[in-house]
Amino acid sequence: MAKMWAGRFSKEVDESVNAFNSSISFDGRMFAHDIKGSIAHATMLGECGIITKEDSLQIIDGLKDILKDIQNGTLQLDMSAEDIHMFIEAELTKRLGDVGKRLHTSRSRNDQVALDIRLYLRDEITQISKLLQELVSTLCDIAEQHIETVMPGYTHLQRAQPITFGHHLMAYAQMFLRDIDRLNDTYKRMNYCPLGSGALAGTTYNIDRQMTSDLLGFTAPMQNSLDGVSDRDSCIELANTIAMIMMHLSRISEEVIMWCSWEFKFVELDDAYSTGSSIMPQKKNPDITELIRGKAGRTTGNLVTLLSMMKGLPLAYNKDMQEDKEAIFDSVDNVKLCLSTFIPMLKTMRVIKENMRKASAKGFINATDCADYLVKKGLPFRDAYKITGRLVAICIEKDLTLETLPIEQYKELSETFDTDVYNAISLDTCINQRTSFGGPAPSEVKRQIEVTRNALKG
Ligand code: ARG
């Protein structure tokens, strides 16, 4: 395809440079957004009398036809074009002749690409947010069925204190709820219109930036034309938000992987969401969650790519910025892919309550409650802590648990103990009494679920 800017040059650009320079293979996906932006621009040019109304209408119709033709496959993107902007403009000119050549009046590809990426990512944010809402709502539903399902809570991956599966899942619901909030925030700051910034220094035409901003549903035009073309904060913010979503997804995935192992066996994935081994017939592998954990790494990488790409760039546009797209598109594609696979996997996952309870009965996760029993009977916490520590040591030596240790043994260490200690350290008591705000008591988790569901309603 002949270069739009061939006039200044005395030679054709080398083929290898063309291929190196071209971005249509990855920015082609923004064709609908590019056309949407161009329609708004052409409308404004017509309204402001910069081009005639007839030309404006013809351009708009031509752009709509191109959109239809790309969508129904009659028009294929030409991979030898420099980018999607050049391709659509060239196609328009092919169809409309001189009229098509008027579209780019008072516009540069610099403000055009800055606009397209915002329009494109705005739509993606909406989709990611919907998926996250579904995930949070799924977590609430599963948590509701398990507000009494006792499981060990861990620190250092050592059994620590009793919690419930519902309580555990609601922790993740909070993380993903914050992610939704971060997405909203990212959208809010992204939603300013760079169109009309020109190449960098605005334009001498009497354009109406407010009009294009309104037509495209932005909050307002961006204030400074240099910033308009050289800002990629919105890509970086979104890459960060996605990296955080993926980090959260990766953490829950890691837990699912552990819970699936025979060492835990707290859950079993549905056959439709697990995979087998080519050699070991007994295997049922949690590949989905492992892939998510793996992909979290590349979304972190994409964030670092964008930050590193931007940090040394002088104002205004530099071609380095073309590198923004592959990184942010990769993050967007992968987070959507992960969420839409993870949600049904979670919905069909079987929870093996008995194994959670069995694991809770071991590991002395009620030791804090035993110490608290003494404290409630008047002992200072540090003394109670020491006595309980010795009790645990005796249990380990005799291969007993705090529940099965005879009362005489308790009394040997402190006369304060009585038979009511067994009730105080029973797992159900331990859970039911942890009613502090945010804690695992069923009444408390119910409250958390309700608050979370209300937050989802907005
Ligand atoms: N394909 C380019 C990009 O993605 C479009 C902007 C080109 N601007 C320029 N001055 N060469 O950044």
Side-chain angles (χ1 to χ4, degrees), residues 358-379:
K358 256 187 244 157
S360 310
K362 295 180 201 146
F364 306 100
I365 63 177
N366 47 4
T368 315
D369 301 84
C370 181
D372 287 343
Y373 164 90
L374 292 174
V375 170
K376 282 174 192 156
K377 295 211 168 185
L379 259 71

Side-chain angles (χ1 to χ4, degrees), residues 15 24 51 54 70 76 116 139 173 175 191 208 254 285 338 394 418:
E15 258 326 296
I24 193 161
I51 60 174
E54 299 80 75
I70 298 177
Q76 303 284 335
D116 290 5
L139 287 167
M175 297 175 218
N191 202 27
D208 187 343
E254 165 65 13
N285 296 330
C338 291
I394 293 170
D418 214 331

Side-chain angles (χ1 to χ4, degrees), residues 430-446:
C430 297
I431 295 289
N432 288 331
Q433 293 200 339
R434 287 191 142 73
T435 53
S436 56
F437 191 87
S443 57
E444 218 348 82
V445 175
K446 256 190 217 164

Side-chain angles (χ1 to χ4, degrees), residues 23 27 82-83 85 109-110 113 317 319 321-322 325:
S23 55
D27 64 23
E82 194 177 328
D83 52 32
H85 327 292
R109 266 186 305 157
N110 297 351
V113 70
Y317 178 84
K319 189 79 173 194
M321 286 153 80
Q322 179 165 287
K325 286 166 215 68

Side-chain angles (χ1 to χ4, degrees), residues 48-64:
C48 294
I50 298 168
I51 60 174
T52 65
K53 276 273 171 62
E54 299 80 75
D55 284 354
S56 162
L57 289 176
Q58 234 187 302
I59 290 173
I60 293 167
D61 283 345
L63 287 168
K64 284 184 181 161

